[in-house]
């Protein structure tokens, strides 16, 4: 039983492959099969092979040229695009190598070489681990005191905790600590693992110790392990590279940014150098050394400069000092002055870096994939298509940044709203205005990163040879 071919009108030039060979040429309609002529009879010439007489006064149409064979979407021939790509990559090297050298030089100059690590002028005590073995709620009595009669009606109760130290100079010893029960006091119970502060006095004297906080090492390590496992399972080698880049970013913050700022260097300059180092390490280690990654680096750098400039201008125009509660406590602990406004700007730059990396990498990847899907697109078409993708991305990115800052400032928002002085006064308060400048300056930089990165990616991707896409 013969099967019908799929129609070209529905599927294009696709033909069904039949089990038996067909007895007709492609493009002809199916007709009943003819019986072969008897042996010796003259076989008629097929119509397609009969010479056709040219009509008088009419030119013969030229024979159609054979079409080139259809390949798999893009050519692997070495055309004139390769020299242009080499020139583009050379230009990227000339742009990025000086920036990388400046970043390293800045880190070398700003690092506090030969200086002792900054210490607090107030004694902080030595952390000691302990386990709560029991708790009793009752009147606030010193060691050896006894309650006589009923306590006053307005007397606040205290929580007496029995603890056993698990390390430190008094490891294995027990002690009792009493602290008043306040709304801001943590609730300790038997079995809790806590951290004590030891001031260096007599180990047998309970006044040498103070309960500071809970021990949280184990759950944090488990969560970090779960995070790393999820990244590696989904990203595989790319995910592993991202985790290594994340670890190196923390090293830059812990061993360069924090010591340099505590030593009295300009927080803004330190943040710029640290952000540059994190940007180079994270992007190139995670996404590889390529023109695509270099475009993302350039887009991130331009946006960071814009964020820093806007933050500096509007923090000065709004008379922001940067002296919130945490900064004031830091200055008191250091014992010397610090550029509080520069510390505010440093936080804006570092806080916006992570979101910028996401936006610039996404835009460059989108433009490269568009060029790979249709190599005939010019830079204008690539820019237009990439910008349409970026418009969808920028909305979620800005919302992410705003919610991150709003979540961090939620206690400040709640505390300020209790004053009942009106929305305008609340938004103009120092701590709230700082978060507004952080959010809006960072959001402007994110919005600007989309067209800047997209046009750079379109100009460079359109000149890349197809075999390197």
């Amino acid at each position: 039983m013969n099967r019908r071919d799929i129609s070209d009108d529905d599927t294009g030039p696709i033909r069904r492959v039949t089990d038996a060979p067909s007895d007709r040429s492609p493009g002809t309609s199916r007709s009943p099969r003819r019986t072969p002529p008897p042996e010796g009879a003259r076989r008629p010439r097929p119509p397609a092979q009969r010479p056709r007489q040219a009509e008088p006064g009419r030119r013969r149409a030229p024979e159609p040229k054979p079409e080139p064979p259809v390949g798999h979407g893009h050519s692997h021939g070495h055309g004139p695009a390769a020299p242009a790509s080499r020139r583009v990559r050379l230009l990227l090297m000339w742009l990025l190598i000086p920036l990388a050298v400046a970043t390293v030089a800045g880190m070398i100059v700003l690092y506090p070489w030969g200086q002792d690590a900054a210490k607090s002028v107030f004694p902080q005590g030595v952390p000691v681990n302990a386990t709560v073995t029991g708790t009793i709620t009752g009147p606030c009595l010193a060691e050896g005191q006894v309650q006589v009669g009923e306590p006053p009606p307005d007397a606040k109760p205290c929580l007496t905790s029995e603890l056993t130290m698990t390390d430190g100079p008094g490891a294995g010893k027990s002690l009792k600590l009493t602290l008043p029960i306040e709304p801001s006091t943590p609730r300790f119970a038997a079995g809790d693992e806590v951290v004590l502060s030891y001031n260096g006095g007599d180990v047998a004297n309970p006044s040498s110790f103070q309960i500071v906080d809970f021990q949280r090492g184990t759950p944090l390590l488990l969560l970090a392990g779960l995070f790393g496992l999820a990244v590696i399972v989904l990203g595989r080698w790319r995910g592993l590279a991202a985790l290594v880049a994340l670890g190196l970013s923390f090293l830059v913050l812990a061993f360069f940014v924090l010591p340099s700022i505590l030593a009295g260097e300009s927080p803004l300059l330190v943040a710029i150098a640290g952000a540059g180092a994190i940007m180079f390490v994270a992007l190139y280690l995670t996404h590889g050394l390529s023109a695509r990654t270099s475009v993302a680096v350039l887009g991130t750098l331009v946006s960071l400069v814009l964020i820093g400039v806007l933050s500096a201008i509007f923090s000065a125009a709004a008379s922001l000092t940067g002296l919130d509660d945490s900064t004031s406590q830091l200055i008191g602990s250091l014992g010397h002055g610090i550029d509080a406004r520069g510390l505010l700007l440093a936080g804006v730059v570092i806080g916006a870096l992570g979101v910028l990396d996401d936006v610039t990498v996404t835009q460059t990847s989108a433009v490269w994939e568009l060029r790979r899907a249709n190599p005939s697109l010019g830079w204008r078409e690539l820019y237009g298509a990439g910008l349409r993708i970026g418009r969808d991305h920028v909305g979620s990115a800005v919302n992410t940044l705003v919610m991150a800052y709003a979540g961090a400032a939620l206690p400040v928002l709640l505390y300020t709203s209790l004053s009942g002085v009106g929305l305008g006064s609340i938004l103009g308060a120092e701590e709230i205005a700082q978060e507004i400048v952080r959010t809006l300056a960072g959001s402007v930089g994110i919005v600007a990163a989309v067209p800047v990165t997209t046009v750079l990616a379109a100009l460079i991707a359109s000149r890349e040879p197809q075999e390197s896409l």
Side-chain angles (χ1 to χ4, degrees), residues 182-204:
E182 301 283 352
S184 59
T185 304
R187 299 294 188 264
F188 299 104
D192 290 342
E193 295 183 342
V194 297
V195 179
L196 308 179
S197 177
Y198 172 56
N199 62 14
D202 185 7
V203 178

mmCIF file with all atom_site columns, all heavy atoms in Angstrom, residues 182-204:
data_model
loop_
_atom_site.group_PDB
_atom_site.id
_atom_site.type_symbol
_atom_site.label_atom_id
_atom_site.label_alt_id
_atom_site.label_comp_id
_atom_site.label_asym_id
_atom_site.label_entity_id
_atom_site.label_seq_id
_atom_site.pdbx_PDB_ins_code
_atom_site.Cartn_x
_atom_site.Cartn_y
_atom_site.Cartn_z
_atom_site.occupancy
_atom_site.B_iso_or_equiv
_atom_site.pdbx_formal_charge
_atom_site.auth_seq_id
_atom_site.auth_comp_id
_atom_site.auth_asym_id
_atom_site.auth_atom_id
_atom_site.pdbx_PDB_model_num
ATOM 1   N N   . GLU A 1 182 ? 14.418 41.324 79.842 1.00 0.00 ? 182 GLU A N   1
ATOM 2   C CA  . GLU A 1 182 ? 13.969 42.506 79.116 1.00 0.00 ? 182 GLU A CA  1
ATOM 3   C C   . GLU A 1 182 ? 13.396 42.068 77.766 1.00 0.00 ? 182 GLU A C   1
ATOM 4   O O   . GLU A 1 182 ? 13.655 40.944 77.311 1.00 0.00 ? 182 GLU A O   1
ATOM 5   C CB  . GLU A 1 182 ? 15.125 43.478 78.892 1.00 0.00 ? 182 GLU A CB  1
ATOM 6   C CG  . GLU A 1 182 ? 15.787 43.978 80.165 1.00 0.00 ? 182 GLU A CG  1
ATOM 7   C CD  . GLU A 1 182 ? 14.965 45.045 80.876 1.00 0.00 ? 182 GLU A CD  1
ATOM 8   O OE1 . GLU A 1 182 ? 13.946 45.499 80.289 1.00 0.00 ? 182 GLU A OE1 1
ATOM 9   O OE2 . GLU A 1 182 ? 15.312 45.412 82.011 1.00 0.00 ? 182 GLU A OE2 1
ATOM 10  N N   . PRO A 1 183 ? 12.600 42.951 77.125 1.00 0.00 ? 183 PRO A N   1
ATOM 11  C CA  . PRO A 1 183 ? 12.118 42.582 75.780 1.00 0.00 ? 183 PRO A CA  1
ATOM 12  C C   . PRO A 1 183 ? 13.243 42.314 74.795 1.00 0.00 ? 183 PRO A C   1
ATOM 13  O O   . PRO A 1 183 ? 13.072 41.534 73.851 1.00 0.00 ? 183 PRO A O   1
ATOM 14  C CB  . PRO A 1 183 ? 11.293 43.813 75.366 1.00 0.00 ? 183 PRO A CB  1
ATOM 15  C CG  . PRO A 1 183 ? 10.858 44.426 76.660 1.00 0.00 ? 183 PRO A CG  1
ATOM 16  C CD  . PRO A 1 183 ? 11.977 44.190 77.618 1.00 0.00 ? 183 PRO A CD  1
ATOM 17  N N   . SER A 1 184 ? 14.416 42.937 75.001 1.00 0.00 ? 184 SER A N   1
ATOM 18  C CA  . SER A 1 184 ? 15.538 42.733 74.083 1.00 0.00 ? 184 SER A CA  1
ATOM 19  C C   . SER A 1 184 ? 16.476 41.618 74.534 1.00 0.00 ? 184 SER A C   1
ATOM 20  O O   . SER A 1 184 ? 17.498 41.372 73.889 1.00 0.00 ? 184 SER A O   1
ATOM 21  C CB  . SER A 1 184 ? 16.340 44.040 73.955 1.00 0.00 ? 184 SER A CB  1
ATOM 22  O OG  . SER A 1 184 ? 16.824 44.457 75.230 1.00 0.00 ? 184 SER A OG  1
ATOM 23  N N   . THR A 1 185 ? 16.158 40.940 75.649 1.00 0.00 ? 185 THR A N   1
ATOM 24  C CA  . THR A 1 185 ? 17.024 39.877 76.159 1.00 0.00 ? 185 THR A CA  1
ATOM 25  C C   . THR A 1 185 ? 16.689 38.552 75.487 1.00 0.00 ? 185 THR A C   1
ATOM 26  O O   . THR A 1 185 ? 15.513 38.160 75.446 1.00 0.00 ? 185 THR A O   1
ATOM 27  C CB  . THR A 1 185 ? 16.852 39.725 77.679 1.00 0.00 ? 185 THR A CB  1
ATOM 28  O OG1 . THR A 1 185 ? 17.106 40.980 78.318 1.00 0.00 ? 185 THR A OG1 1
ATOM 29  C CG2 . THR A 1 185 ? 17.808 38.675 78.219 1.00 0.00 ? 185 THR A CG2 1
ATOM 30  N N   . PRO A 1 186 ? 17.680 37.832 74.962 1.00 0.00 ? 186 PRO A N   1
ATOM 31  C CA  . PRO A 1 186 ? 17.401 36.508 74.376 1.00 0.00 ? 186 PRO A CA  1
ATOM 32  C C   . PRO A 1 186 ? 16.891 35.544 75.442 1.00 0.00 ? 186 PRO A C   1
ATOM 33  O O   . PRO A 1 186 ? 17.246 35.645 76.619 1.00 0.00 ? 186 PRO A O   1
ATOM 34  C CB  . PRO A 1 186 ? 18.760 36.066 73.830 1.00 0.00 ? 186 PRO A CB  1
ATOM 35  C CG  . PRO A 1 186 ? 19.573 37.308 73.712 1.00 0.00 ? 186 PRO A CG  1
ATOM 36  C CD  . PRO A 1 186 ? 19.095 38.215 74.792 1.00 0.00 ? 186 PRO A CD  1
ATOM 37  N N   . ARG A 1 187 ? 16.056 34.616 75.030 1.00 0.00 ? 187 ARG A N   1
ATOM 38  C CA  . ARG A 1 187 ? 15.511 33.613 75.939 1.00 0.00 ? 187 ARG A CA  1
ATOM 39  C C   . ARG A 1 187 ? 16.365 32.349 75.836 1.00 0.00 ? 187 ARG A C   1
ATOM 40  O O   . ARG A 1 187 ? 16.390 31.682 74.802 1.00 0.00 ? 187 ARG A O   1
ATOM 41  C CB  . ARG A 1 187 ? 14.057 33.291 75.574 1.00 0.00 ? 187 ARG A CB  1
ATOM 42  C CG  . ARG A 1 187 ? 13.121 34.493 75.677 1.00 0.00 ? 187 ARG A CG  1
ATOM 43  C CD  . ARG A 1 187 ? 12.977 34.965 77.128 1.00 0.00 ? 187 ARG A CD  1
ATOM 44  N NE  . ARG A 1 187 ? 11.958 35.993 77.272 1.00 0.00 ? 187 ARG A NE  1
ATOM 45  C CZ  . ARG A 1 187 ? 12.202 37.293 77.275 1.00 0.00 ? 187 ARG A CZ  1
ATOM 46  N NH1 . ARG A 1 187 ? 13.459 37.715 77.117 1.00 0.00 ? 187 ARG A NH1 1
ATOM 47  N NH2 . ARG A 1 187 ? 11.233 38.171 77.432 1.00 0.00 ? 187 ARG A NH2 1
ATOM 48  N N   . PHE A 1 188 ? 17.069 32.034 76.922 1.00 0.00 ? 188 PHE A N   1
ATOM 49  C CA  . PHE A 1 188 ? 17.910 30.842 76.952 1.00 0.00 ? 188 PHE A CA  1
ATOM 50  C C   . PHE A 1 188 ? 17.178 29.722 77.682 1.00 0.00 ? 188 PHE A C   1
ATOM 51  O O   . PHE A 1 188 ? 16.416 29.973 78.631 1.00 0.00 ? 188 PHE A O   1
ATOM 52  C CB  . PHE A 1 188 ? 19.235 31.129 77.662 1.00 0.00 ? 188 PHE A CB  1
ATOM 53  C CG  . PHE A 1 188 ? 20.051 32.204 76.993 1.00 0.00 ? 188 PHE A CG  1
ATOM 54  C CD1 . PHE A 1 188 ? 20.116 33.477 77.518 1.00 0.00 ? 188 PHE A CD1 1
ATOM 55  C CD2 . PHE A 1 188 ? 20.749 31.928 75.824 1.00 0.00 ? 188 PHE A CD2 1
ATOM 56  C CE1 . PHE A 1 188 ? 20.860 34.466 76.912 1.00 0.00 ? 188 PHE A CE1 1
ATOM 57  C CE2 . PHE A 1 188 ? 21.494 32.918 75.201 1.00 0.00 ? 188 PHE A CE2 1
ATOM 58  C CZ  . PHE A 1 188 ? 21.553 34.184 75.743 1.00 0.00 ? 188 PHE A CZ  1
ATOM 59  N N   . ALA A 1 189 ? 17.414 28.485 77.243 1.00 0.00 ? 189 ALA A N   1
ATOM 60  C CA  . ALA A 1 189 ? 16.774 27.318 77.851 1.00 0.00 ? 189 ALA A CA  1
ATOM 61  C C   . ALA A 1 189 ? 17.817 26.222 77.992 1.00 0.00 ? 189 ALA A C   1
ATOM 62  O O   . ALA A 1 189 ? 18.913 26.281 77.403 1.00 0.00 ? 189 ALA A O   1
ATOM 63  C CB  . ALA A 1 189 ? 15.602 26.843 77.005 1.00 0.00 ? 189 ALA A CB  1
ATOM 64  N N   . ALA A 1 190 ? 17.476 25.213 78.788 1.00 0.00 ? 190 ALA A N   1
ATOM 65  C CA  . ALA A 1 190 ? 18.391 24.104 79.010 1.00 0.00 ? 190 ALA A CA  1
ATOM 66  C C   . ALA A 1 190 ? 18.694 23.399 77.691 1.00 0.00 ? 190 ALA A C   1
ATOM 67  O O   . ALA A 1 190 ? 17.796 23.132 76.895 1.00 0.00 ? 190 ALA A O   1
ATOM 68  C CB  . ALA A 1 190 ? 17.791 23.123 80.019 1.00 0.00 ? 190 ALA A CB  1
ATOM 69  N N   . GLY A 1 191 ? 19.972 23.114 77.459 1.00 0.00 ? 191 GLY A N   1
ATOM 70  C CA  . GLY A 1 191 ? 20.415 22.476 76.233 1.00 0.00 ? 191 GLY A CA  1
ATOM 71  C C   . GLY A 1 191 ? 20.939 23.443 75.188 1.00 0.00 ? 191 GLY A C   1
ATOM 72  O O   . GLY A 1 191 ? 21.540 22.996 74.199 1.00 0.00 ? 191 GLY A O   1
ATOM 73  N N   . ASP A 1 192 ? 20.718 24.737 75.365 1.00 0.00 ? 192 ASP A N   1
ATOM 74  C CA  . ASP A 1 192 ? 21.225 25.719 74.400 1.00 0.00 ? 192 ASP A CA  1
ATOM 75  C C   . ASP A 1 192 ? 22.748 25.822 74.495 1.00 0.00 ? 192 ASP A C   1
ATOM 76  O O   . ASP A 1 192 ? 23.316 25.804 75.601 1.00 0.00 ? 192 ASP A O   1
ATOM 77  C CB  . ASP A 1 192 ? 20.616 27.102 74.657 1.00 0.00 ? 192 ASP A CB  1
ATOM 78  C CG  . ASP A 1 192 ? 19.141 27.159 74.297 1.00 0.00 ? 192 ASP A CG  1
ATOM 79  O OD1 . ASP A 1 192 ? 18.686 26.283 73.551 1.00 0.00 ? 192 ASP A OD1 1
ATOM 80  O OD2 . ASP A 1 192 ? 18.443 28.089 74.778 1.00 0.00 ? 192 ASP A OD2 1
ATOM 81  N N   . GLU A 1 193 ? 23.369 25.933 73.339 1.00 0.00 ? 193 GLU A N   1
ATOM 82  C CA  . GLU A 1 193 ? 24.812 26.166 73.276 1.00 0.00 ? 193 GLU A CA  1
ATOM 83  C C   . GLU A 1 193 ? 25.034 27.655 73.065 1.00 0.00 ? 193 GLU A C   1
ATOM 84  O O   . GLU A 1 193 ? 24.535 28.232 72.091 1.00 0.00 ? 193 GLU A O   1
ATOM 85  C CB  . GLU A 1 193 ? 25.442 25.354 72.148 1.00 0.00 ? 193 GLU A CB  1
ATOM 86  C CG  . GLU A 1 193 ? 25.343 23.855 72.374 1.00 0.00 ? 193 GLU A CG  1
ATOM 87  C CD  . GLU A 1 193 ? 26.031 23.063 71.272 1.00 0.00 ? 193 GLU A CD  1
ATOM 88  O OE1 . GLU A 1 193 ? 26.279 23.651 70.192 1.00 0.00 ? 193 GLU A OE1 1
ATOM 89  O OE2 . GLU A 1 193 ? 26.313 21.877 71.484 1.00 0.00 ? 193 GLU A OE2 1
ATOM 90  N N   . VAL A 1 194 ? 25.770 28.289 73.971 1.00 0.00 ? 194 VAL A N   1
ATOM 91  C CA  . VAL A 1 194 ? 25.912 29.740 73.976 1.00 0.00 ? 194 VAL A CA  1
ATOM 92  C C   . VAL A 1 194 ? 27.389 30.111 73.934 1.00 0.00 ? 194 VAL A C   1
ATOM 93  O O   . VAL A 1 194 ? 28.285 29.261 74.087 1.00 0.00 ? 194 VAL A O   1
ATOM 94  C CB  . VAL A 1 194 ? 25.245 30.360 75.228 1.00 0.00 ? 194 VAL A CB  1
ATOM 95  C CG1 . VAL A 1 194 ? 23.746 30.088 75.223 1.00 0.00 ? 194 VAL A CG1 1
ATOM 96  C CG2 . VAL A 1 194 ? 25.892 29.833 76.508 1.00 0.00 ? 194 VAL A CG2 1
ATOM 97  N N   . VAL A 1 195 ? 27.628 31.414 73.726 1.00 0.00 ? 195 VAL A N   1
ATOM 98  C CA  . VAL A 1 195 ? 28.966 31.983 73.723 1.00 0.00 ? 195 VAL A CA  1
ATOM 99  C C   . VAL A 1 195 ? 29.070 32.951 74.887 1.00 0.00 ? 195 VAL A C   1
ATOM 100 O O   . VAL A 1 195 ? 28.215 33.835 75.054 1.00 0.00 ? 195 VAL A O   1
ATOM 101 C CB  . VAL A 1 195 ? 29.270 32.707 72.395 1.00 0.00 ? 195 VAL A CB  1
ATOM 102 C CG1 . VAL A 1 195 ? 30.665 33.321 72.423 1.00 0.00 ? 195 VAL A CG1 1
ATOM 103 C CG2 . VAL A 1 195 ? 29.140 31.754 71.232 1.00 0.00 ? 195 VAL A CG2 1
ATOM 104 N N   . LEU A 1 196 ? 30.107 32.786 75.700 1.00 0.00 ? 196 LEU A N   1
ATOM 105 C CA  . LEU A 1 196 ? 30.379 33.673 76.827 1.00 0.00 ? 196 LEU A CA  1
ATOM 106 C C   . LEU A 1 196 ? 31.532 34.606 76.478 1.00 0.00 ? 196 LEU A C   1
ATOM 107 O O   . LEU A 1 196 ? 32.380 34.289 75.634 1.00 0.00 ? 196 LEU A O   1
ATOM 108 C CB  . LEU A 1 196 ? 30.727 32.870 78.087 1.00 0.00 ? 196 LEU A CB  1
ATOM 109 C CG  . LEU A 1 196 ? 29.755 31.777 78.512 1.00 0.00 ? 196 LEU A CG  1
ATOM 110 C CD1 . LEU A 1 196 ? 30.270 31.067 79.757 1.00 0.00 ? 196 LEU A CD1 1
ATOM 111 C CD2 . LEU A 1 196 ? 28.371 32.358 78.766 1.00 0.00 ? 196 LEU A CD2 1
ATOM 112 N N   . SER A 1 197 ? 31.552 35.752 77.132 1.00 0.00 ? 197 SER A N   1
ATOM 113 C CA  . SER A 1 197 ? 32.666 36.685 77.004 1.00 0.00 ? 197 SER A CA  1
ATOM 114 C C   . SER A 1 197 ? 33.466 36.654 78.304 1.00 0.00 ? 197 SER A C   1
ATOM 115 O O   . SER A 1 197 ? 32.919 36.959 79.382 1.00 0.00 ? 197 SER A O   1
ATOM 116 C CB  . SER A 1 197 ? 32.147 38.090 76.728 1.00 0.00 ? 197 SER A CB  1
ATOM 117 O OG  . SER A 1 197 ? 33.220 39.014 76.673 1.00 0.00 ? 197 SER A OG  1
ATOM 118 N N   . TYR A 1 198 ? 34.743 36.302 78.210 1.00 0.00 ? 198 TYR A N   1
ATOM 119 C CA  . TYR A 1 198 ? 35.614 36.176 79.382 1.00 0.00 ? 198 TYR A CA  1
ATOM 120 C C   . TYR A 1 198 ? 36.544 37.382 79.418 1.00 0.00 ? 198 TYR A C   1
ATOM 121 O O   . TYR A 1 198 ? 37.281 37.653 78.459 1.00 0.00 ? 198 TYR A O   1
ATOM 122 C CB  . TYR A 1 198 ? 36.398 34.873 79.293 1.00 0.00 ? 198 TYR A CB  1
ATOM 123 C CG  . TYR A 1 198 ? 37.467 34.712 80.337 1.00 0.00 ? 198 TYR A CG  1
ATOM 124 C CD1 . TYR A 1 198 ? 37.168 34.800 81.700 1.00 0.00 ? 198 TYR A CD1 1
ATOM 125 C CD2 . TYR A 1 198 ? 38.787 34.454 79.971 1.00 0.00 ? 198 TYR A CD2 1
ATOM 126 C CE1 . TYR A 1 198 ? 38.149 34.647 82.660 1.00 0.00 ? 198 TYR A CE1 1
ATOM 127 C CE2 . TYR A 1 198 ? 39.776 34.279 80.929 1.00 0.00 ? 198 TYR A CE2 1
ATOM 128 C CZ  . TYR A 1 198 ? 39.456 34.390 82.269 1.00 0.00 ? 198 TYR A CZ  1
ATOM 129 O OH  . TYR A 1 198 ? 40.435 34.239 83.215 1.00 0.00 ? 198 TYR A OH  1
ATOM 130 N N   . ASN A 1 199 ? 36.515 38.124 80.532 1.00 0.00 ? 199 ASN A N   1
ATOM 131 C CA  . ASN A 1 199 ? 37.303 39.355 80.632 1.00 0.00 ? 199 ASN A CA  1
ATOM 132 C C   . ASN A 1 199 ? 38.711 39.164 81.172 1.00 0.00 ? 199 ASN A C   1
ATOM 133 O O   . ASN A 1 199 ? 39.432 40.140 81.412 1.00 0.00 ? 199 ASN A O   1
ATOM 134 C CB  . ASN A 1 199 ? 36.559 40.394 81.488 1.00 0.00 ? 199 ASN A CB  1
ATOM 135 C CG  . ASN A 1 199 ? 36.333 39.905 82.913 1.00 0.00 ? 199 ASN A CG  1
ATOM 136 O OD1 . ASN A 1 199 ? 36.918 38.926 83.368 1.00 0.00 ? 199 ASN A OD1 1
ATOM 137 N ND2 . ASN A 1 199 ? 35.444 40.608 83.638 1.00 0.00 ? 199 ASN A ND2 1
ATOM 138 N N   . GLY A 1 200 ? 39.108 37.919 81.403 1.00 0.00 ? 200 GLY A N   1
ATOM 139 C CA  . GLY A 1 200 ? 40.473 37.642 81.861 1.00 0.00 ? 200 GLY A CA  1
ATOM 140 C C   . GLY A 1 200 ? 40.623 37.579 83.363 1.00 0.00 ? 200 GLY A C   1
ATOM 141 O O   . GLY A 1 200 ? 41.753 37.436 83.859 1.00 0.00 ? 200 GLY A O   1
ATOM 142 N N   . GLY A 1 201 ? 39.541 37.711 84.133 1.00 0.00 ? 201 GLY A N   1
ATOM 143 C CA  . GLY A 1 201 ? 39.629 37.665 85.586 1.00 0.00 ? 201 GLY A CA  1
ATOM 144 C C   . GLY A 1 201 ? 39.651 36.250 86.130 1.00 0.00 ? 201 GLY A C   1
ATOM 145 O O   . GLY A 1 201 ? 40.013 35.280 85.418 1.00 0.00 ? 201 GLY A O   1
ATOM 146 N N   . ASP A 1 202 ? 39.261 36.129 87.390 1.00 0.00 ? 202 ASP A N   1
ATOM 147 C CA  . ASP A 1 202 ? 39.249 34.839 88.069 1.00 0.00 ? 202 ASP A CA  1
ATOM 148 C C   . ASP A 1 202 ? 38.206 33.927 87.422 1.00 0.00 ? 202 ASP A C   1
ATOM 149 O O   . ASP A 1 202 ? 37.048 34.303 87.272 1.00 0.00 ? 202 ASP A O   1
ATOM 150 C CB  . ASP A 1 202 ? 38.937 35.044 89.550 1.00 0.00 ? 202 ASP A CB  1
ATOM 151 C CG  . ASP A 1 202 ? 39.036 33.753 90.354 1.00 0.00 ? 202 ASP A CG  1
ATOM 152 O OD1 . ASP A 1 202 ? 39.486 32.735 89.780 1.00 0.00 ? 202 ASP A OD1 1
ATOM 153 O OD2 . ASP A 1 202 ? 38.639 33.774 91.531 1.00 0.00 ? 202 ASP A OD2 1
ATOM 154 N N   . VAL A 1 203 ? 38.640 32.725 87.061 1.00 0.00 ? 203 VAL A N   1
ATOM 155 C CA  . VAL A 1 203 ? 37.730 31.797 86.403 1.00 0.00 ? 203 VAL A CA  1
ATOM 156 C C   . VAL A 1 203 ? 36.617 31.359 87.342 1.00 0.00 ? 203 VAL A C   1
ATOM 157 O O   . VAL A 1 203 ? 35.492 31.089 86.904 1.00 0.00 ? 203 VAL A O   1
ATOM 158 C CB  . VAL A 1 203 ? 38.517 30.574 85.866 1.00 0.00 ? 203 VAL A CB  1
ATOM 159 C CG1 . VAL A 1 203 ? 37.586 29.570 85.219 1.00 0.00 ? 203 VAL A CG1 1
ATOM 160 C CG2 . VAL A 1 203 ? 39.589 31.009 84.907 1.00 0.00 ? 203 VAL A CG2 1
ATOM 161 N N   . ALA A 1 204 ? 36.889 31.306 88.634 1.00 0.00 ? 204 ALA A N   1
ATOM 162 C CA  . ALA A 1 204 ? 35.877 30.870 89.593 1.00 0.00 ? 204 ALA A CA  1
ATOM 163 C C   . ALA A 1 204 ? 34.851 31.945 89.905 1.00 0.00 ? 204 ALA A C   1
ATOM 164 O O   . ALA A 1 204 ? 33.834 31.661 90.547 1.00 0.00 ? 204 ALA A O   1
ATOM 165 C CB  . ALA A 1 204 ? 36.555 30.416 90.887 1.00 0.00 ? 204 ALA A CB  1
#
